[in-house]
Amino acid sequence: MFLVKYPDAVDAQKVGTYPAETYSGGGYFYDEVLEYRVWKKENGKSLYYAFAKYKDAAKFAKQNGGAEAPVVLVRQNSYVDDSGGKFKQIPGPRDTRYRVECGMAKG
């Protein structure tokens, strides 16, 4: 049973089409969920499986030994850069991923 309700991907048709390498970003705020990913090592390679729904990603991770917990790929239409100990709002979009359990607050 899944007690937490996470939003579905904004466009299920695009799930699996985003670049594998994305910034592992900070922040809890997002504008759109792009997809949920489950990473798994297979034959010495790191592969991911993409899902439009968190519950499907979590189920896949649980049923496949060696799979990592789902991460979420989100789009932020602007974000905060906190490098150098100072906070600066950066306008413009970026796609970033982070652990689902960190919390997800719609921006």
Side-chain angles (χ1 to χ4, degrees), residues 4 8 16 30 48-49 53 58 64 75 82 89 91 98:
V4 178
D8 295 345
Y30 70 95
Y48 74 90
Y49 296 85
K53 298 176 182 282
N64 287 273
R75 176 155 299 135
D82 63 352
Q89 184 174 4
Y98 50 83

Side-chain angles (χ1 to χ4, degrees), residues 14-106:
K14 290 186 178 180
V15 169
T17 66
Y18 301 101
E21 293 298 321
T22 58
Y23 177 75
S24 181
Y28 298 100
F29 296 95
Y30 70 95
D31 292 289
E32 299 175 332
V33 169
L34 303 178
E35 64 188 21
Y36 295 93
R37 293 178 172 178
V38 176
W39 288 86
K40 187 173 190 245
K41 287 220 182 244
E42 293 182 7
N43 300 318
K45 295 181 181 181
S46 291
L47 304 174
Y48 74 90
Y49 296 85
F51 301 88
K53 298 176 182 282
Y54 171 78
K55 69 178 184 174
D56 295 335
K59 183 177 178 180
F60 178 87
K62 185 176 180 179
Q63 293 177 345
N64 287 273
E68 296 179 7
V71 294
V72 62
L73 181 68
V74 298
R75 176 155 299 135
Q76 298 171 318
N77 291 331
S78 67
Y79 59 97
V80 175
D81 178 7
D82 63 352
S83 60
K86 295 186 178 189
F87 295 97
K88 180 180 176 184
Q89 184 174 4
I90 308 296
R94 77 168 176 177
D95 296 346
T96 188
R97 69 180 188 278
Y98 50 83
R99 296 186 333 236
V100 176
E101 67 272 9
C102 286
M104 293 176 58
K106 186 136 172 114

